[in-house]
Amino acid sequence: MTRNVNRRSFLKGAAGAAAIGAASSRFFAPNLISAQGSGVEVVYWTAFGSGTNGEAQTKLIEDFNALDNGITVVSTAYDSYESVANAILTGLDSGDVPHVSTLSDVWWFSFYLRQALVELSPYAENQEDYIASLFGDYTRAGGQWGVPFARSTPIFYYNVEAFDAAGVDPAAVGKWSDFAEVAQSLVDGSDVTFSFGFGNAASYGAWTMHGPVWAFGGRYSDEDFNIMVNQPEAVAAGEFMRDLLQNKGAGAVDNPTNEFIAGTLAAMIGSTGSLGNITANGTVEFKTAKLPEELAFGCPTGGTGLSIIRGASDEQIAATAEFINFCTNTENASFWSQYTGYMPVRVSAIESEDYQAFLAEHPNNQVAIDQLPLTQPQDSARVFIPNGDANLGRAWEQILVNNTPAQQAFDEVAALLEEDKAPVLEALEVIEG
Amino acid sequence: MAVNNEPMSSAEWNPQPIGEAFYRPKGSFGGLLSKEWFLFLLFVIPNFFFLGLFTYWPLIRNFILSTQKVNPYTKAQSFAGTDNFTWLFNDRVFKQVVTNTAIFIICCVVFTLGLGLLVALLLNERLKGRTAVRAMVFAPYLIAGSAVALVWAYIFNPRFGLLAMMLGWFDISSPRWLEDPDWALAAVIITYVWKNLGFAAVVFLAGLQGIPKDLYEAAKLDGASAWWRFRSVTLPMLSPISFFLMVTSVLSTFQAFDLIDVMTGGGPTYSTTTLVYYVYDQGWMAQRWERAAAAAVVLFVLMLVVTAMQMLWERRQVHYDGQ
């Protein structure tokens, strides 16, 4: 039997083909940096592919390859911490994973639970020289599962022109309640749109609000995964911020860093890792300060470390460790910090003449260094429960964007976190006993 | 050259098969199996194999996964029956996601096809520079979704975006497009329509140019107004094209991901999270693969139902070849 293809059957067929071909895909636009060389090839996936941070990352890779030590680093850059982690998750079953990768504060633990990381104690050089708190973030069950690389803390950024125009002395804003008192005058007395800019969940809103939660005496959870976000102290922080937004001229914006650069915010909490970007692109004079206190001071660490993914040969692991040690040695830790604004991860880097001279010229970076000893590792609910960051961020969105009472939003997210922590605890039981 | 027009006698009629392999004595079933069926299977089996391996097997695996409880770390797996579906249907967010998906699809398809037809009608007129305009209208369709999303995110910025500036000329304050849950989905829909309008317009234009002119002339002779000619000639004659565009548009809007990911990340407060983004969020971010699988099953069933409804509609409303 023959069947003629007419317009009807063609159109039907085309529609059917589209239906069969219906498959969603995640689009990445990896930026490949490769260099000629011989010997061992180290595959590196990084979250730093563009902007100031991307330039610094490229220089580190090029400098390493220029050593001509028989190791060549081939790098693929992704657009975010999440993209890198998703790509590795995809590759774990097929074996298409890098030797080394940036794994952020909220992702490394997921790979640790999958037992996909190489223990770095035998490979990391001068371990005692790393900033102890940053190095300790990757210590688990007596092993070292990563080393700090692009580590950051939140800091308080403020628009000097707006504060001057409104006649507000930044030094007098040491507490959140102080800021609340002057917040409306910042909007009324200057050209800014908002006294303070809150980010959304995608802008790591749960991270930037982590410090204020601690400052009000609350926690997202304790280290044993007991969820505490809906307890009165954290709720007080939520209500305070809701009031700041509803009544004191603050606003929830899509991207606080871009808004700050454009001069629409009088103040924001941002990452030290944005310092390079804001300095390079900012249109307003700005300064940084320690995060405001309230009942106490609270500031978490953040950012990303470097971890080796399991599956490589001993030779490749050793070569990869050389690259990690290169990226985090005194000279490069200093370079990376100066160029990007991330924290220097070695004591010797901070103490180096080069870095001290840089700090003398860049007081905004000095603030982050001064604040560093006061920082603490983050609560497990945000960093160790999968999607904890996004879920807490969405709870903050509910409070700040939808004007939902903090108790209601935090109760809802607490239930979700309780549920989502179960597989983590099961896995920990298997791994750590 | 002399042409022999003499009729052929039956004795001369002796057609030869195209190649001996195709020769099959009438009634020989064994010959059929060994020859034509062999060739048929040779062509079909590899296609079925790959279709099965890469399309149907994952579908089956996904359905199985949706009935499991999985620990993503230890890979421990146990049968959970319909628990994942029950969880989904009791989840406030999932209900919002299904609503978002319905609004997103209806708005995107209606506006893309409606405006696409309008643009096609304009481009079908003999206007100066229409070739350049056609290229300009089609160009957004060729641009990567993530690039379009980045540009539109800036356009929508209520403080320093292009739209805010233009609205400012008329003393109108800009909505907080991507920051306000009431506006965010509208912003994504506008971007989606802008990106895909050109494709619909070009396909409609091809359809318009295929309509026989004599139908319009006959309608004119009968005294039909422009509106009636459009209603009684253009629309029925475009119905196969409209059907094709509707099916493909519905399927592609079901799967829209890149614009949402770059522009809003599904927020604020889930206001732009559609089903496909929810699957990504549950699977890749929350690592609840079983819930992602259950949501994917719901997505699959919805797509199947919608496509089946469109096919039924096609039987009644679509006119092929002027029938």
Side-chain angles (χ1 to χ4, degrees):
Chain A
M1 189 182 105
T2 60
R3 187 171 174 181
N4 294 326
V5 177
N6 58 19
R7 200 148 66 103
R8 179 202 295 258
S9 60
F10 172 74
L11 288 168
K12 271 188 172 178
I20 289 167
S24 64
S25 59
R26 183 90 165 93
F27 295 102
F28 297 115
N31 168 29
L32 225 69
I33 304 164
S34 63
Q36 298 297 316
S38 59
V40 185
E41 186 177 272
V42 170
V43 177
Y44 173 41
W45 290 0
T46 172
F48 305 110
S50 61
T52 313
N53 298 347
E55 289 164 15
Q57 178 70 96
T58 303
K59 184 178 184 306
L60 281 183
I61 295 165
E62 287 175 352
D63 285 356
F64 182 80
N65 286 336
L67 294 176
D68 203 18
N69 58 1
I71 304 168
T72 303
V73 173
V74 178
S75 162
T76 302
Y78 291 85
D79 64 351
S80 66
Y81 296 149
E82 284 65 38
S83 299
V84 179
N86 286 175
I88 299 173
L89 277 178
T90 313
L92 277 180
D93 286 332
S94 64
D96 181 22
V97 290
H99 299 117
V100 56
S101 176
T102 54
L103 289 180
S104 78
D105 50 355
V106 302
W107 279 103
W108 77 267
F109 189 70
S110 173
F111 293 98
Y112 165 75
L113 291 178
R114 286 181 167 81
Q115 302 185 61
L117 303 180
V118 172
E119 210 272 292
L120 293 180
S121 299
Y123 302 104
E125 288 175 355
N126 299 328
Q127 295 178 22
E128 66 289 345
D129 186 37
Y130 282 108
I131 306 284
S133 58
L134 301 181
F135 192 69
D137 280 347
Y138 307 95
T139 307
R140 192 87 205 182
Q144 191 66 31
W145 307 99
V147 296
F149 170 53
R151 297 304 306 275
S152 57
T153 67
I155 47 173
F156 190 78
Y157 289 80
Y158 64 92
N159 180 327
V160 173
E161 291 162 24
F163 272 66
D164 284 350
V168 175
D169 177 12
V173 185
K175 287 189 168 188
W176 280 109
S177 43
D178 299 333
F179 184 77
E181 278 180 26
V182 298
Q184 190 59 51
S185 64
L186 286 168
V187 178
D188 298 339
S190 74
D191 293 334
V192 297
T193 311
F194 297 119
S195 58
F196 184 86
F198 292 101
N200 55 25
S203 305
Y204 305 112
W207 182 64
T208 51
M209 286 296 106
H210 207 321
V213 168
W214 282 345
F216 279 81
R219 301 191 71 172
Y220 289 145
S221 73
D222 65 15
E223 59 271 24
D224 294 325
F225 293 89
N226 294 307
I227 307 301
M228 301 167 74
V229 67
N230 54 347
Q231 292 187 2
E233 295 84 358
V235 171
E239 283 301 325
F240 179 89
M241 295 303 167
R242 184 160 79 114
D243 180 58
L244 200 61
L245 191 133
Q246 295 298 324
N247 305 312
K248 309 269 171 30
V253 297
D254 189 38
N255 187 324
T257 303
N258 286 349
E259 297 285 341
F260 189 78
I261 284 173
T264 61
L265 305 180
M268 70 161 186
I269 293 178
S271 165
T272 55
S274 300
L275 256 174
N277 179 23
I278 295 172
T279 306
N281 300 308
T283 56
V284 292
E285 188 190 345
F286 75 96
K287 283 187 178 171
T288 60
K290 283 197 299 183
L291 293 189
E293 303 177 10
E294 193 57 32
L295 303 174
F297 176 81
C299 181
T301 53
T304 184
L306 294 171
S307 294
I308 298 181
I309 312 297
R310 216 169 238 194
S313 66
D314 289 348
E315 185 193 20
Q316 273 176 323
I317 290 173
T320 306
E322 262 195 62
F323 175 64
I324 289 179
N325 287 324
F326 175 84
C327 288
T328 59
N329 68 23
T330 302
E331 186 188 341
N332 286 325
S334 169
F335 157 75
W336 176 259
S337 175
Q338 290 182 39
Y339 207 95
T340 64
Y342 281 100
M343 308 300 302
V345 294
R346 285 191 179 274
V347 176
S348 58
I350 297 176
E351 291 171 347
S352 67
E353 274 183 31
D354 177 41
Y355 198 78
Q356 287 299 319
F358 168 77
L359 287 180
E361 283 180 29
H362 298 85
N364 282 333
N365 293 65
Q366 180 68 55
V367 171
I369 301 296
D370 293 344
Q371 190 182 245
L372 184 59
L374 306 172
T375 59
Q376 301 168 59
Q378 296 174 63
D379 291 338
S380 57
R382 177 180 179 261
V383 286
F384 293 162
I385 295 177
N387 225 23
D389 171 55
N391 285 330
L392 285 162
R394 285 168 188 145
W396 276 108
E397 275 183 358
Q398 293 272 6
I399 296 166
L400 300 170
V401 178
N402 284 0
N403 196 22
T404 304
Q407 186 71 60
Q408 183 186 332
F410 285 160
D411 277 344
E412 196 174 309
V413 76
L416 202 57
L417 291 167
E418 287 288 355
E419 204 175 330
D420 286 350
K421 77 181 186 185
V424 175
L425 295 178
E426 283 170 24
L428 275 177
E429 184 68 27
V430 172
I431 297 168
E432 296 180 359
Chain B
M1 195 177 89
V3 178
N4 182 7
N5 286 327
E6 290 290 314
M8 198 180 274
S9 70
S10 59
E12 286 174 302
W13 172 243
N14 183 21
Q16 295 300 308
I18 310 166
E20 192 58 30
F22 287 91
Y23 177 70
R24 174 172 62 85
K26 201 171 180 183
S28 166
F29 194 68
L32 179 76
L33 270 180
S34 60
K35 305 295 180 185
E36 287 187 19
W37 270 90
F38 175 72
L39 272 175
F40 170 74
L41 293 176
L42 196 67
F43 286 121
V44 163
I45 284 179
N47 290 296
F48 268 103
F49 176 74
F50 287 112
L51 195 65
L53 188 66
F54 293 114
T55 302
Y56 295 111
W57 179 237
L59 271 178
I60 295 165
R61 287 284 302 160
N62 182 76
F63 181 75
I64 294 169
L65 184 60
S66 71
T67 63
Q68 305 289 306
K69 182 186 174 195
V70 184
N71 185 311
Y73 310 111
T74 61
K75 303 273 174 80
Q77 212 163 314
S78 58
F79 184 68
T82 56
D83 286 0
N84 295 318
F85 294 95
T86 310
W87 188 90
L88 281 183
F89 292 123
N90 287 324
D91 183 29
R92 175 187 64 80
V93 172
F94 187 72
K95 287 170 194 158
Q96 185 184 349
V97 165
V98 173
T99 310
N100 291 344
T101 308
I103 295 170
F104 183 70
I105 290 171
I106 291 168
C107 291
C108 284
V109 172
V110 167
F111 286 116
T112 304
L113 268 58
L115 293 174
L117 178 58
L118 274 179
V119 171
L121 287 168
L122 276 175
L123 294 179
N124 200 32
E125 298 298 317
R126 293 187 182 281
L127 300 171
K128 264 189 180 178
R130 68 172 178 172
T131 311
V133 175
R134 276 180 200 168
M136 283 166 63
V137 166
F138 192 66
Y141 184 69
L142 302 175
I143 304 171
S146 49
V148 168
L150 277 176
V151 171
W152 275 91
Y154 275 97
I155 290 174
F156 280 126
N157 187 290
R159 289 165 291 282
F160 48 82
L162 186 66
L163 268 178
M165 191 182 78
M166 290 167 72
L167 289 170
W169 295 338
F170 306 100
D171 217 16
I172 301 170
S173 62
S174 169
R176 300 179 59 204
W177 294 99
L178 302 178
E179 298 161 3
D180 185 339
D182 294 334
W183 284 96
L185 192 58
V188 178
I189 289 168
I190 290 170
T191 310
Y192 185 91
V193 171
W194 180 84
K195 184 179 178 336
N196 292 283
L197 181 67
F199 177 73
V202 165
V203 176
F204 271 130
L205 187 59
L208 284 172
Q209 292 178 346
I211 299 175
K213 296 283 179 286
D214 51 358
L215 290 177
Y216 288 108
E217 284 161 12
K220 262 186 188 174
L221 284 174
D222 288 343
S225 64
W227 166 245
W228 274 101
R229 288 198 299 278
F230 175 72
R231 224 186 105 171
S232 307
V233 178
T234 308
L235 280 184
M237 292 301 288
L238 279 181
S239 58
I241 295 283
S242 308
F243 172 67
F244 165 75
L245 280 173
M246 196 183 294
V247 171
T248 52
S249 299
V250 167
L251 291 175
S252 63
T253 42
F254 257 119
Q255 300 164 68
F257 180 86
D258 45 3
L259 294 183
I260 294 169
D261 190 39
V262 175
M263 288 180 79
T264 63
T269 61
Y270 292 105
S271 59
T272 58
T273 301
T274 56
L275 258 171
V276 78
Y277 198 85
Y278 186 79
V279 170
Y280 161 75
D281 190 58
Q282 284 296 319
W284 295 106
M285 302 305 290
Q287 300 173 51
R288 300 305 293 253
W289 305 104
E290 67 277 29
R291 284 181 196 161
V297 169
V298 174
L299 178 64
F300 175 77
V301 170
L302 281 177
M303 288 171 84
L304 207 64
V305 168
V306 170
T307 307
M309 284 166 62
Q310 286 174 316
M311 292 290 181
L312 282 175
W313 178 81
E314 176 254 355
R315 284 188 191 170
R316 291 181 176 194
Q317 301 293 331
V318 178
H319 309 270
Y320 289 95
D321 302 324
Q323 291 162 11

